[in-house]
């Protein structure tokens, strides 16, 4: 029992610290690729710290739902982070929720954030909420198919079990089904974290934004919680991708050495995936909203092919 | 254990409903008395029915009573087994809430409508539900079934001065009789094979049926029960009839009455027929998937709050059928353990849907009670005058969207696990259907979440969009208590799912010979596990506690921040044009616009915009906007059918010449034919 608490504490610290770093790294890398200097990789920490020290403006029209949403976003993202193996195959809360709980808890956070967007009565909030719920709804089947492909291989939806199986077959990602599932999940990752070509995280241009439109009325500590929560969600989804498909370095033992090595491997894998995201973001223009379903349809078909190829190969 | 207390309590609950029916009818001239009698008798009946259900489930072995009637094939036979007990439990939980709610709700009827007659129909409905869950004789079951349909018809058309209501009632009564007809034929097949109308005798007779007869029996029962449950494509009556009824009745109709279809399928397919062929199970699964996805897609386009909820009933019936279909397939394939898990998933979702859908209908009823409209586009900001209703509706919305840690999540999670296990357990190419069904369940869940963001936000949040939602009052206290009870049930069945699961043991043992309760719980009784094949685990309790533990420090951080740096209220960003008004707000139609465009193949939306302007079209004085989606099933399936029936009837009119000689000739010919038939035999 105490082990669970210690594990959770350690992983919580890791989550809270690495998530802003990852967002910062992606921003910096993107700027460099576009030959800008860009902000430093620590900028996200500064942003969160700054927002926590600001006064808050609550819209006159808002109810308690508006105030509840940031907590739900932050709470669900961090809780989900504790269900995912990061440096070792053993996630602290893995027993209490597998990959289905992960998907549905993230949906719970999104549900409240969308309500928060609509609560103010502003058209932007409604616009953002409507688009966010729409895109997440059509991303969901592709995500589940890809996840099922992996879960069926491990015969479990429990993420620690999946990681344990994955570690024994490190080169399994070369199998067609795994590659297809990875491609499907990568597209879903782009959509779920609001990145180009689905959403532009850098824009505040009225007609193109999705996530930013929804949180337009938030300020101060609430905005800090939402931004922090969003970066943790991004970290969680990226971790899910790198650790399920490329389990290199995941330690099964609980020694300082093994965990340290696991951490180095983990950060390296995250950096590689971040580079891939940056490449995709820089080389693509934003899609029109009604072209996004086609992209997600591609993800769904990739997921279905992945599933079919599990029993062809 | 002695069978006497169970029988006594069950008889008492039936007596309570009977008394309620006739006593409230007798007091129809005194509305206050009639209202009190109607509600208290229903509450008493529910309490007794609940006790009987608990006793019946705890007992495990069936108890049967039979009183001969003197009419061949017909007897007053009842059998109280685990399946009957489970559905009676769902009935009792829902009726308890509805009857408390009705104390306040029916007050508005006083002096305007006949509460005595309402009470009569209401209790008749409850009585027929109780009997149809426990009847052990085909004819008794059919009589209860028919009384149920007629009482429901009376309640659906209670606001009969409205043309829409009368049309909906007519549609309902036609569909209800098609379904009774199918059941009658199905039972005729079984009775013919067994020579008795007792359910117990069907079990042996079903084995002797030829495969063509088995197919016919399956199709007839699936049609009959499917129409009652409102599966697509037999659903068209449901979104018409459920919204026009008084809201406390809508809660019962969507919560329990459509579940009689599920009960019937479980009773006949698993118990009486003792399993159906594999293709039939697949059909049930596929119909489930189609109903779930289409149900939620149609719900998204609704801006009538109660119609929206009615479409969600179709969706949830679909989810239940996914579990039931999987159970039927596993049973034939020789995986009784998996079949039991699938059955638990389906039945748990049945109970959960009964609870959160009645909660949502009662919430919608409160809103309707206070604002006088079902149109969401006229609502908004109701969370301020009606905080308790809003909170209860929110809990219902989270639960029906299948979000953790509430009860909807638990049963959907079990359904996912079942479908995943299906891939490993079933051989051949058709096993690919299981994960595909799982992904469609994911689509359904996500769309349901989108739909309930819309339903809750447009109704309760932001500014009022119409005059009707200004100056409204919170519903009376009894109505709030009724909703609160169901809200508690949503939370309890979600957080305490692991403690509730043993309830299903007796049912799965009776129908499939397996007890799975113990396999589904691990980790000191806190963790839900998926059984054997896949080892997924989840714990709603830990998720809830974890969320709380993680949110508290964040709240502390924010609290410290706001104390030091202040927190002010300010106007919403209005793009520099002063004065954000309700006209600027997103509407229900606007919210679902993106999905309407994406699924336009299905909806075939039509819209019409007319602008009236003086100088330039860029400065219109007046805009007329009209938008509608194509009612595909009504137009492409039912309209041609109706036309065919009308044409056929006008052909038939030629032989109905009105001449007495012709009729005498018909009678004579019929008599001769019958005689020939008799002689041949």
């Amino acid at each position: 029992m105490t082990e669970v608490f210690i594990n959770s504490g350690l992983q919580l610290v890791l989550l809270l610290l690495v998530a802003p770093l990852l967002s910062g790294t992606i921003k910096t890398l993107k700027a460099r690729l576009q030959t800008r200097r860009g902000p430093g990789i620590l900028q996200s920490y500064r942003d969160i710290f700054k927002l926590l020290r600001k006064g808050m403006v609550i819209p006159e029209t808002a109810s308690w739902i508006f105030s509840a949403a940031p907590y739900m976003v932050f709470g669900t993202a961090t809780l989900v982070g504790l269900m995912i193996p990061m440096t070792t195959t053993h996630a602290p809360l893995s027993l209490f929720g597998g990959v289905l709980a992960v998907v549905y808890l993230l949906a719970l956070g999104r549900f409240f954030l969308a309500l928060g967007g609509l609560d103010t009565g502003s058209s932007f909030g409604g616009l953002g909420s409507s688009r966010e719920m729409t895109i997440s709804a059509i991303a969901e089947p592709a995500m589940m198919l890809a996840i099922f492909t992996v879960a069926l291989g491990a015969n479990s939806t429990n993420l620690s079990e999946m990681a344990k199986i994955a570690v024994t077959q490190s080169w399994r990602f070369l199998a067609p089904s795994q590659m297809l599932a990875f491609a499907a999940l990568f597209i879903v990752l782009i959509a779920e974290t609001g990145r180009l070509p689905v959403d532009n995280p850098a824009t505040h241009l009225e007609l193109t934004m999705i996530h930013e439109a929804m949180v337009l009325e938030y300020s101060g500590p609430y905005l800090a919680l939402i931004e922090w929560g969003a970066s943790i969600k991004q970290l969680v989804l990226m971790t899910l991708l790198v650790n399920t498909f490329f389990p290199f370095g995941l330690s099964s033992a609980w020694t300082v050495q093994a965990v340290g090595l696991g951490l180095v491997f983990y950060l390296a894998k995250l950096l590689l995936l971040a580079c891939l995201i940056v490449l995709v973001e820089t080389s693509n223009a934003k899609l029109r909203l009604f072209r996004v379903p086609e992209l997600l349809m591609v993800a769904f078909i990739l997921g279905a092919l992945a599933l079919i190829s599990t029993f062809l190969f | 254990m002695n069978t006497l207390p169970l029988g006594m309590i069950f008889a008492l609950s039936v007596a309570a409903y009977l008394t309620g029916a006739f006593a409230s009818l007798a007091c129809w001239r005194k509305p206050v008395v009639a209202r009190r009698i109607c509600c208290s008798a229903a509450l008493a009946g529910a309490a007794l029915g609940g006790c009987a259900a608990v006793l019946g489930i705890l007992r495990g072995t069936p108890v049967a009573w039979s009183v001969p009637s003197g009419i061949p094939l017909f007897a007053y036979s009842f059998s109280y087994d685990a399946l009957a007990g489970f559905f009676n439990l769902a009935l009792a939980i829902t009726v308890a809430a509805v009857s408390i709610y009705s104390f306040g709700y029916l007050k508005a009827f006083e002096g305007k409508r006949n509460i005595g007659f309402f009470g009569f129909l209401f209790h008749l409905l409850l009585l027929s539900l109780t009997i149809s869950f426990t009847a052990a004789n085909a004819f008794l079951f059919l009589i209860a079934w028919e009384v149920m349909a007629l009482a429901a018809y009376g309640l659906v058309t209670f606001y009969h001065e409205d043309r829409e209501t009368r049309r909906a009632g007519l549609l309902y009564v036609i569909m209800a009789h098609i379904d009774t007809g199918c059941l009658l034929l199905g039972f005729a097949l079984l009775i013919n094979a067994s020579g008795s109308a007792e359910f117990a005798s069907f079990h042996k007779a079903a084995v002797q049926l030829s495969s063509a007869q088995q197919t016919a029996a399956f199709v007839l029962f699936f049609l009959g029960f499917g129409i009652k449950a409102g599966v697509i494509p037999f659903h068209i009556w449901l979104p018409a009839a459920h919204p026009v009824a008084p809201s406390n009745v809508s809660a019962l109709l969507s919560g329990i009455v459509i579940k009689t279809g599920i009960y019937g399928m479980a009773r006949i397919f698993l118990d009486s027929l003792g399993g159906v062929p594999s293709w039939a199970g697949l059909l049930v699964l596929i119909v489930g998937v189609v109903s779930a996805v289409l149900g939620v897609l149609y719900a998204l386009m609704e801006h009538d709050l109660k119609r929206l909820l009615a479409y969600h009933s179709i969706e949830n019936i679909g989810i239940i059928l996914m579990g039931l279909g999987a159970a039927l397939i596993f049973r034939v394939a020789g995986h009784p353990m998996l079949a039991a898990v699938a059955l638990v998933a389906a039945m748990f979702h049945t109970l959960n849907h009964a609870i959160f859908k009645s909660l949502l209908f009662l919430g919608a009823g409160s809103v309707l009670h206070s604002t006088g409209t079902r149109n969401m586009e006229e609502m908004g900001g109701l969370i301020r005058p009606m905080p308790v209703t809003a909170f209860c509706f929110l809990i219902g919305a989270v639960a029906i969207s299948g979000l953790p840690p509430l009860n909807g999540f638990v049963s959907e999670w079990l359904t996912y696990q079942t479908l995943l296990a299906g891939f490993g357990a079933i051989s051949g190419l058709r096993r690919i259907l299981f994960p595909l069904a799982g992904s469609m369940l994911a689509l359904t869940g996500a769309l349901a979440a989108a739909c309930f963001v819309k339903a809750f936000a447009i109704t309760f949040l932001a500014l009022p969009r119409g005059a009707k939602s200004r100056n409204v009052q919170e519903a009376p206290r009894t109505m709030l208590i009724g909703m609160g009870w169901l809200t508690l049930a949503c939370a309890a069945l979600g957080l305490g799912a692991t403690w509730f699961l043993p309830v299903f043991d007796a049912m799965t043992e009776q129908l499939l010979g397996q007890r799975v309760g113990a396999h589904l719980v691990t980790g000191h009784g806190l963790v839900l596990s998926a059984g054997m094949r896949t080892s997924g685990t989840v714990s709603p309790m830990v998720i809830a506690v974890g969320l709380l533990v993680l949110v508290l420090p964040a709240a502390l951080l924010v609290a410290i921040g706001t104390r030091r740096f202040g927190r002010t209220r300010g106007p919403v960003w209005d793009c520099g044009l002063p004065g954000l008004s309700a006209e600027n707000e997103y509407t229900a139609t606007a919210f679902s616009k993106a999905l309407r465009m994406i699924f336009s193949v299905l909806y075939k939306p039509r819209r019409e915009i007319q602008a009236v302007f003086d100088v330039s079209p860029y400065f219109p004085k007046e805009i007329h906007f009209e938008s509608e989606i194509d009612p595909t099933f009504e137009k492409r399936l039912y309209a041609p059918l109706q036309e065919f029936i009308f044409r056929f009837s006008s052909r038939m009119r030629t032989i109905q010449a009105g001449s007495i000689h012709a009729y005498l000739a018909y009678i004579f010919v019929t008599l001769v034919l019958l005689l020939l038939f008799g002689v041949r035999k």
Side-chain angles (χ1 to χ4, degrees), chain A residues 55-61 95-96 104 121 123 127 130 144 155-158 217 290, chain B residues 384 402 416-417 442 535-537 539 562 565-566 568-570 572-573 584 591 597:
Chain A
M56 235 190 312
V57 185
I58 308 279
E60 284 154 355
T61 43
L95 179 65
F96 305 113
Y104 273 77
S123 313
L127 180 147
S130 160
M144 278 297 181
N155 235 339
S156 175
T157 54
N158 191 310
E217 291 297 327
F290 292 109
Chain B
R384 273 174 289 275
Y416 274 119
Q417 294 294 349
S535 55
T537 48
S539 170
T562 29
F565 306 105
T568 48
R569 288 235 162 210
V572 177
W573 169 237
N584 301 89
F591 186 88
M597 300 279 285

Short mmCIF file of all heavy atoms in Angstrom, two decimals, chain A residues 55-61 95-96 104 121 123 127 130 144 155-158 217 290, chain B residues 384 402 416-417 442 535-537 539 562 565-566 568-570 572-573 584 591 597:
data_model
loop_
_atom_site.label_atom_id
_atom_site.label_comp_id
_atom_site.label_asym_id
_atom_site.label_seq_id
_atom_site.Cartn_x
_atom_site.Cartn_y
_atom_site.Cartn_z
N GLY A 55 -4.34 38.09 -10.88
CA GLY A 55 -5.73 38.15 -10.44
C GLY A 55 -6.61 37.46 -11.48
O GLY A 55 -6.17 37.19 -12.59
N MET A 56 -7.82 37.14 -11.07
CA MET A 56 -8.71 36.41 -11.97
C MET A 56 -9.91 37.26 -12.34
O MET A 56 -10.43 37.98 -11.49
CB MET A 56 -9.21 35.16 -11.25
CG MET A 56 -8.93 33.92 -12.02
SD MET A 56 -9.75 32.50 -11.36
CE MET A 56 -9.44 32.52 -9.64
N VAL A 57 -10.35 37.17 -13.58
CA VAL A 57 -11.61 37.81 -13.96
C VAL A 57 -12.60 36.72 -14.34
O VAL A 57 -12.33 35.92 -15.24
CB VAL A 57 -11.43 38.78 -15.14
CG1 VAL A 57 -12.74 39.50 -15.42
CG2 VAL A 57 -10.32 39.76 -14.85
N ILE A 58 -13.69 36.66 -13.61
CA ILE A 58 -14.73 35.67 -13.91
C ILE A 58 -15.84 36.39 -14.67
O ILE A 58 -16.30 37.44 -14.22
CB ILE A 58 -15.32 35.09 -12.60
CG1 ILE A 58 -14.21 34.59 -11.69
CG2 ILE A 58 -16.34 34.02 -12.90
CD1 ILE A 58 -13.67 33.27 -12.00
N PRO A 59 -16.29 35.84 -15.79
CA PRO A 59 -17.37 36.50 -16.52
C PRO A 59 -18.64 36.62 -15.68
O PRO A 59 -18.94 35.71 -14.89
CB PRO A 59 -17.61 35.58 -17.71
CG PRO A 59 -16.37 34.79 -17.83
CD PRO A 59 -15.80 34.66 -16.47
N GLU A 60 -19.36 37.71 -15.88
CA GLU A 60 -20.58 37.93 -15.08
C GLU A 60 -21.62 36.85 -15.32
O GLU A 60 -22.42 36.54 -14.46
CB GLU A 60 -21.17 39.29 -15.45
CG GLU A 60 -20.42 40.45 -14.84
CD GLU A 60 -20.58 41.72 -15.64
OE1 GLU A 60 -21.20 41.68 -16.72
OE2 GLU A 60 -20.08 42.76 -15.17
N THR A 61 -21.62 36.30 -16.54
CA THR A 61 -22.66 35.35 -16.90
C THR A 61 -22.36 33.94 -16.42
O THR A 61 -23.21 33.06 -16.52
CB THR A 61 -22.81 35.31 -18.43
OG1 THR A 61 -21.50 35.31 -18.98
CG2 THR A 61 -23.57 36.49 -18.93
N LEU A 95 -3.62 -0.73 -11.62
CA LEU A 95 -4.65 -1.69 -11.24
C LEU A 95 -6.04 -1.05 -11.25
O LEU A 95 -7.04 -1.71 -11.46
CB LEU A 95 -4.34 -2.24 -9.84
CG LEU A 95 -5.33 -3.24 -9.26
CD1 LEU A 95 -5.34 -4.51 -10.08
CD2 LEU A 95 -5.01 -3.54 -7.82
N PHE A 96 -6.07 0.26 -11.04
CA PHE A 96 -7.36 0.92 -10.83
C PHE A 96 -7.94 1.52 -12.10
O PHE A 96 -8.97 2.17 -12.07
CB PHE A 96 -7.23 1.98 -9.74
CG PHE A 96 -6.67 1.43 -8.47
CD1 PHE A 96 -5.41 1.80 -8.01
CD2 PHE A 96 -7.38 0.48 -7.75
CE1 PHE A 96 -4.90 1.26 -6.85
CE2 PHE A 96 -6.88 -0.06 -6.60
CZ PHE A 96 -5.63 0.33 -6.14
N TYR A 104 -11.67 7.43 -21.14
CA TYR A 104 -12.91 8.00 -20.61
C TYR A 104 -12.66 9.10 -19.58
O TYR A 104 -13.46 10.01 -19.46
CB TYR A 104 -13.81 6.89 -20.06
CG TYR A 104 -14.67 6.32 -21.17
CD1 TYR A 104 -14.14 5.44 -22.10
CD2 TYR A 104 -15.98 6.72 -21.33
CE1 TYR A 104 -14.90 4.96 -23.14
CE2 TYR A 104 -16.76 6.24 -22.37
CZ TYR A 104 -16.21 5.37 -23.27
OH TYR A 104 -16.97 4.91 -24.32
N GLY A 121 -21.58 32.22 -22.30
CA GLY A 121 -22.51 32.86 -23.23
C GLY A 121 -21.80 33.51 -24.40
O GLY A 121 -22.44 34.04 -25.29
N SER A 123 -19.90 33.70 -27.92
CA SER A 123 -19.99 32.85 -29.12
C SER A 123 -18.72 32.06 -29.32
O SER A 123 -18.76 30.94 -29.82
CB SER A 123 -20.23 33.71 -30.35
OG SER A 123 -21.23 34.62 -30.12
N LEU A 127 -18.40 28.08 -30.00
CA LEU A 127 -17.74 27.62 -31.22
C LEU A 127 -16.64 26.60 -30.88
O LEU A 127 -16.59 25.51 -31.47
CB LEU A 127 -17.15 28.85 -31.89
CG LEU A 127 -16.38 28.80 -33.18
CD1 LEU A 127 -16.68 30.09 -33.93
CD2 LEU A 127 -14.91 28.73 -32.91
N SER A 130 -18.21 23.30 -29.47
CA SER A 130 -18.84 22.51 -30.51
C SER A 130 -17.79 21.78 -31.33
O SER A 130 -17.90 20.58 -31.59
CB SER A 130 -19.68 23.44 -31.39
OG SER A 130 -19.92 22.86 -32.63
N MET A 144 -9.87 3.93 -30.50
CA MET A 144 -10.20 2.66 -29.85
C MET A 144 -9.74 1.47 -30.69
O MET A 144 -9.23 0.49 -30.15
CB MET A 144 -11.71 2.57 -29.63
CG MET A 144 -12.16 3.29 -28.40
SD MET A 144 -11.48 2.58 -26.90
CE MET A 144 -12.20 3.61 -25.68
N ASN A 155 -3.60 -9.23 -24.60
CA ASN A 155 -4.72 -9.85 -23.92
C ASN A 155 -5.12 -9.11 -22.66
O ASN A 155 -5.56 -9.71 -21.68
CB ASN A 155 -4.38 -11.30 -23.56
CG ASN A 155 -5.43 -12.22 -24.12
OD1 ASN A 155 -6.55 -11.78 -24.40
ND2 ASN A 155 -5.08 -13.47 -24.31
N SER A 156 -4.97 -7.81 -22.67
CA SER A 156 -5.33 -7.04 -21.51
C SER A 156 -5.52 -5.57 -21.89
O SER A 156 -4.91 -5.10 -22.85
CB SER A 156 -4.25 -7.14 -20.45
OG SER A 156 -4.58 -6.30 -19.37
N THR A 157 -6.38 -4.88 -21.14
CA THR A 157 -6.49 -3.45 -21.35
C THR A 157 -5.74 -2.71 -20.25
O THR A 157 -5.81 -1.50 -20.15
CB THR A 157 -7.95 -2.99 -21.33
OG1 THR A 157 -8.54 -3.44 -20.11
CG2 THR A 157 -8.72 -3.53 -22.50
N ASN A 158 -5.06 -3.49 -19.44
CA ASN A 158 -4.31 -2.91 -18.33
C ASN A 158 -2.96 -2.45 -18.85
O ASN A 158 -2.21 -3.21 -19.44
CB ASN A 158 -4.16 -4.02 -17.29
CG ASN A 158 -3.64 -3.50 -16.00
OD1 ASN A 158 -2.65 -2.79 -16.00
ND2 ASN A 158 -4.29 -3.83 -14.92
N GLU A 217 -12.19 32.81 -22.14
CA GLU A 217 -12.62 33.63 -21.00
C GLU A 217 -11.86 33.31 -19.72
O GLU A 217 -12.08 33.95 -18.70
CB GLU A 217 -14.12 33.45 -20.76
CG GLU A 217 -15.00 34.04 -21.84
CD GLU A 217 -14.84 35.56 -21.95
OE1 GLU A 217 -14.61 36.20 -20.91
OE2 GLU A 217 -14.93 36.07 -23.07
N PHE A 290 -13.83 21.07 -42.09
CA PHE A 290 -14.57 19.92 -42.63
C PHE A 290 -13.71 18.98 -43.45
O PHE A 290 -14.21 18.01 -44.02
CB PHE A 290 -15.78 20.43 -43.43
CG PHE A 290 -16.79 21.05 -42.52
CD1 PHE A 290 -17.01 22.40 -42.50
CD2 PHE A 290 -17.47 20.25 -41.61
CE1 PHE A 290 -17.90 22.97 -41.61
CE2 PHE A 290 -18.37 20.80 -40.72
CZ PHE A 290 -18.59 22.17 -40.72
N ARG B 384 -29.19 29.08 -12.47
CA ARG B 384 -29.30 30.03 -11.36
C ARG B 384 -30.62 29.91 -10.62
O ARG B 384 -30.62 29.70 -9.41
CB ARG B 384 -29.03 31.44 -11.85
CG ARG B 384 -27.53 31.77 -11.81
CD ARG B 384 -27.23 33.12 -12.44
NE ARG B 384 -27.40 33.07 -13.88
CZ ARG B 384 -26.42 32.66 -14.70
NH1 ARG B 384 -25.26 32.29 -14.21
NH2 ARG B 384 -26.61 32.63 -15.99
N GLY B 402 -21.51 7.85 -20.13
CA GLY B 402 -20.59 6.75 -19.84
C GLY B 402 -19.27 7.24 -19.26
O GLY B 402 -18.24 6.61 -19.44
N TYR B 416 -17.33 -3.19 -23.24
CA TYR B 416 -16.07 -3.17 -23.98
C TYR B 416 -15.26 -4.44 -23.74
O TYR B 416 -14.75 -5.06 -24.67
CB TYR B 416 -15.19 -2.00 -23.52
CG TYR B 416 -15.45 -0.68 -24.20
CD1 TYR B 416 -15.85 0.42 -23.46
CD2 TYR B 416 -15.25 -0.53 -25.56
CE1 TYR B 416 -16.07 1.64 -24.06
CE2 TYR B 416 -15.46 0.70 -26.16
CZ TYR B 416 -15.87 1.78 -25.41
OH TYR B 416 -16.09 2.98 -26.01
N GLN B 417 -15.16 -4.82 -22.47
CA GLN B 417 -14.35 -5.99 -22.14
C GLN B 417 -14.93 -7.24 -22.79
O GLN B 417 -14.20 -8.09 -23.29
CB GLN B 417 -14.28 -6.18 -20.62
CG GLN B 417 -13.54 -5.07 -19.90
CD GLN B 417 -12.06 -5.01 -20.23
OE1 GLN B 417 -11.51 -5.91 -20.85
NE2 GLN B 417 -11.42 -3.93 -19.85
N ALA B 442 -17.38 3.22 -28.93
CA ALA B 442 -16.60 4.41 -28.59
C ALA B 442 -17.17 5.64 -29.28
O ALA B 442 -17.31 6.71 -28.67
CB ALA B 442 -15.15 4.21 -29.00
N SER B 535 -7.47 -9.36 -19.04
CA SER B 535 -7.28 -9.03 -17.63
C SER B 535 -7.30 -7.53 -17.41
O SER B 535 -6.39 -6.98 -16.83
CB SER B 535 -5.98 -9.63 -17.14
OG SER B 535 -4.93 -9.19 -17.97
N GLY B 536 -8.31 -6.87 -17.92
CA GLY B 536 -8.45 -5.45 -17.64
C GLY B 536 -9.03 -5.24 -16.25
O GLY B 536 -9.80 -6.06 -15.76
N THR B 537 -8.65 -4.16 -15.62
CA THR B 537 -9.22 -3.85 -14.31
C THR B 537 -9.54 -2.36 -14.24
O THR B 537 -8.93 -1.56 -14.94
CB THR B 537 -8.22 -4.15 -13.17
OG1 THR B 537 -6.97 -3.58 -13.51
CG2 THR B 537 -8.07 -5.63 -12.95
N SER B 539 -11.31 0.67 -11.20
CA SER B 539 -11.97 0.87 -9.91
C SER B 539 -12.57 2.27 -9.85
O SER B 539 -11.87 3.25 -9.64
CB SER B 539 -10.97 0.70 -8.78
OG SER B 539 -11.56 1.13 -7.60
N THR B 562 -5.97 33.50 -5.32
CA THR B 562 -7.05 34.49 -5.38
C THR B 562 -7.05 35.38 -4.15
O THR B 562 -7.44 36.54 -4.22
CB THR B 562 -8.43 33.82 -5.50
OG1 THR B 562 -8.39 32.56 -4.88
CG2 THR B 562 -8.84 33.64 -6.94
N PHE B 565 -4.12 37.83 -4.97
CA PHE B 565 -4.12 38.65 -6.18
C PHE B 565 -5.53 39.03 -6.64
O PHE B 565 -5.71 39.67 -7.66
CB PHE B 565 -3.38 37.93 -7.30
CG PHE B 565 -1.99 37.52 -6.90
CD1 PHE B 565 -1.69 36.20 -6.60
CD2 PHE B 565 -1.00 38.48 -6.78
CE1 PHE B 565 -0.41 35.84 -6.21
CE2 PHE B 565 0.29 38.12 -6.40
CZ PHE B 565 0.57 36.79 -6.11
N GLY B 566 -6.52 38.58 -5.90
CA GLY B 566 -7.86 39.09 -6.18
C GLY B 566 -8.61 38.31 -7.24
O GLY B 566 -8.04 37.56 -8.03
N THR B 568 -12.15 39.13 -9.65
CA THR B 568 -13.22 40.08 -9.94
C THR B 568 -14.17 39.48 -10.96
O THR B 568 -13.83 38.55 -11.66
CB THR B 568 -12.66 41.39 -10.51
OG1 THR B 568 -11.72 41.05 -11.54
CG2 THR B 568 -12.00 42.23 -9.46
N ARG B 569 -15.35 40.08 -11.01
CA ARG B 569 -16.31 39.69 -12.03
C ARG B 569 -16.28 40.73 -13.13
O ARG B 569 -16.23 41.92 -12.84
CB ARG B 569 -17.71 39.62 -11.44
CG ARG B 569 -17.90 38.45 -10.51
CD ARG B 569 -19.09 37.63 -10.98
NE ARG B 569 -19.05 36.30 -10.39
CZ ARG B 569 -19.54 35.23 -10.99
NH1 ARG B 569 -20.08 35.34 -12.19
NH2 ARG B 569 -19.48 34.06 -10.43
N GLY B 570 -16.28 40.31 -14.35
CA GLY B 570 -16.24 41.28 -15.43
C GLY B 570 -17.11 40.83 -16.58
O GLY B 570 -17.57 39.69 -16.60
N VAL B 572 -18.18 39.60 -20.35
CA VAL B 572 -17.60 38.67 -21.30
C VAL B 572 -17.05 39.46 -22.48
O VAL B 572 -17.58 40.51 -22.83
CB VAL B 572 -18.69 37.69 -21.78
CG1 VAL B 572 -18.16 36.75 -22.83
CG2 VAL B 572 -19.22 36.91 -20.61
N TRP B 573 -15.99 38.95 -23.08
CA TRP B 573 -15.39 39.61 -24.26
C TRP B 573 -16.43 39.66 -25.39
O TRP B 573 -16.92 38.62 -25.83
CB TRP B 573 -14.15 38.84 -24.69
CG TRP B 573 -13.60 39.24 -26.03
CD1 TRP B 573 -13.41 38.45 -27.10
CD2 TRP B 573 -13.16 40.54 -26.43
NE1 TRP B 573 -12.88 39.15 -28.14
CE2 TRP B 573 -12.72 40.45 -27.76
CE3 TRP B 573 -13.11 41.80 -25.80
CZ2 TRP B 573 -12.22 41.52 -28.48
CZ3 TRP B 573 -12.62 42.88 -26.51
CH2 TRP B 573 -12.17 42.74 -27.83
N ASN B 584 -26.38 36.60 -29.12
CA ASN B 584 -25.04 36.25 -29.54
C ASN B 584 -24.67 34.82 -29.16
O ASN B 584 -23.67 34.29 -29.63
CB ASN B 584 -24.01 37.16 -28.88
CG ASN B 584 -24.25 38.62 -29.22
OD1 ASN B 584 -24.98 39.30 -28.54
ND2 ASN B 584 -23.66 39.06 -30.31
N PHE B 591 -24.68 24.44 -32.23
CA PHE B 591 -23.73 23.52 -31.62
C PHE B 591 -23.58 22.26 -32.45
O PHE B 591 -22.50 21.72 -32.60
CB PHE B 591 -24.19 23.17 -30.20
CG PHE B 591 -23.19 22.33 -29.45
CD1 PHE B 591 -22.18 22.94 -28.72
CD2 PHE B 591 -23.25 20.95 -29.48
CE1 PHE B 591 -21.25 22.18 -28.05
CE2 PHE B 591 -22.33 20.18 -28.81
CZ PHE B 591 -21.33 20.80 -28.08
N MET B 597 -22.96 18.76 -40.71
CA MET B 597 -22.22 18.83 -41.98
C MET B 597 -21.45 17.52 -42.20
O MET B 597 -21.43 16.99 -43.31
CB MET B 597 -21.22 19.99 -41.95
CG MET B 597 -21.84 21.34 -41.76
SD MET B 597 -22.49 22.01 -43.28
CE MET B 597 -20.97 22.49 -44.09
#
